[in-house]
Amino acid sequence: MSLIAGSYEKFIWGYRLKPLKDSSSSSSSTLTLTQLFSYPSHLAPITTVAVSGTAAASGSTDDTIHLYDLSSSASLGALHLQDSTSVTSLAFYTPPNLSVPRNLLAASADGFVSIFDADPFVLLKSIKAHKKGVNDLTVHPSGKLALSVGRDECLAMVNLVRGRRSFYHKLGKEASLIKFDLSGDKFFMVTEEKIGVHQAEDAKLLCELEGNKRVLCAAPGANGVLLSGGEDRSITAWDTNSGKVAYCIGDAHSARVKGVVVLTKNDSGDAVDDPYLVASASSDGAIRVWDVRMAVKEKSIPLAEAKTNSRLTCLAGSSIKYIGKKAPQEKQNKNGATEDS
């Protein structure tokens, strides 16, 4: 499994999570974060990162998107949006039958959502989704649509097949994050310390989760679980079916949690008990990996830790099982935004 983190100091950090060899001790000491790369990839603070398979991307307030190949720990160059503007959110779309992404979506501070083909990385279309800057976006598992929230206090839906905005709704308050669940049946929308759980079909509010402090990051897990982190320095797992806290890793970091990644069961070919692994990054400069089964104990201890000595701003992760292997060549006619773009 791989993790990539961005920092306020313009550095990009790449790590591989793997078991320690020849270790007969318990699982609490058999994992390590091995650094793949670290260098100043941007000219301004990094705001967002995304990973899919061996492909990774980072966005910054320097108006560029940088691309990386995790299999060779190499930079692949930079993408530029049509109008020079800060990149606020990135998301890959990877079809279930492929190991490589088909599209990269980028949200920006001018209210646009840009859609790139991922092979090669070329701009297909830019869509005006919001009147003000886009705070976050999420792609439906089908790859047919994306949702975004912005500084205009609105929720927008982008039709990725036709390449246009198909829905625009005034929320009355500014949402900072939006995420689909793994099935695509629900989506989660974050406003300050509250998380709204909505039905994807009609955006109906199913329940509202209320944390102690502002939520800064969130990631969906299996069985209706949503993990969140923020200013309370903890990692909270919510049962979105009941609306209650399933478990919590208190004081996971010494400062605010800026990124959380659920390392799900099918994301790794390694002999690691990965269905229970969660990674987090904080502005204290630490990246930590947790076994959530330990959350029931009074004091959870991370399975692995890497200290970057920088103010981390974002975190993304993916399986690394395809590294060193030839990617399958089953790329077919594209769906997302390629038909009418």
Side-chain angles (χ1 to χ4, degrees), residues 65-267:
I65 301 168
H66 282 249
L67 304 171
Y68 314 91
D69 178 15
L70 297 179
S71 63
S72 59
S73 300
S75 174
L76 301 179
L79 300 174
H80 297 270
L81 302 181
Q82 287 184 330
D83 298 319
S84 295
T85 183
S86 299
V87 181
T88 57
S89 182
L90 294 170
F92 281 109
Y93 168 63
T94 304
N97 62 324
L98 295 181
S99 61
V100 292
R102 177 170 289 174
N103 293 102
L104 172 66
L105 277 71
S108 53
D110 59 1
F112 278 84
V113 171
S114 298
I115 308 166
F116 294 87
D117 186 357
D119 185 19
F121 280 97
V122 293
L123 179 65
L124 299 174
K125 195 164 189 178
S126 290
I127 303 162
K128 182 67 172 178
H130 293 268
K131 296 178 181 179
K132 296 183 180 180
V134 183
N135 289 332
D136 195 24
L137 65 82
T138 183
V139 183
H140 191 270
S142 68
K144 295 181 179 180
L145 61 92
L147 296 178
S148 61
V149 289
R151 295 180 55 218
D152 55 2
E153 300 183 350
C154 290
L155 166 70
M157 178 187 293
V158 176
N159 186 320
L160 298 179
V161 176
R162 297 183 177 274
R164 61 181 177 85
R165 190 181 74 182
S166 58
F167 178 77
Y168 188 69
H169 176 68
K170 188 74 173 179
L171 299 173
K173 52 187 177 181
E174 182 178 343
S176 57
L177 297 172
I178 188 165
K179 305 292 178 186
F180 273 112
D181 70 353
L182 298 183
S183 66
D185 295 332
K186 300 176 184 177
F187 67 88
F188 314 110
M189 195 157 47
V190 176
T191 305
E192 296 293 337
E193 73 279 359
K194 296 181 180 180
I195 305 173
V197 181
H198 298 260
Q199 190 168 288
E201 184 178 6
D202 54 9
K204 177 183 177 182
L205 180 64
L206 300 176
C207 65
E208 193 170 60
L209 316 173
E210 188 163 356
N212 298 321
K213 293 185 178 181
R214 186 180 179 188
V215 175
L216 301 176
C217 56
N223 302 319
V225 172
L226 177 72
L227 283 99
S228 68
E231 293 185 347
D232 63 357
R233 304 176 299 169
S234 301
I235 301 171
T236 303
W238 303 89
D239 182 347
T240 60
N241 297 315
S242 65
K244 298 180 180 180
V245 175
Y247 51 83
C248 179
I249 301 175
D251 293 324
H253 290 270
S254 60
R256 62 184 64 178
V257 179
K258 299 300 293 289
V260 60
V261 174
V262 179
L263 304 173
T264 54
K265 182 175 182 179
N266 294 325
D267 274 354

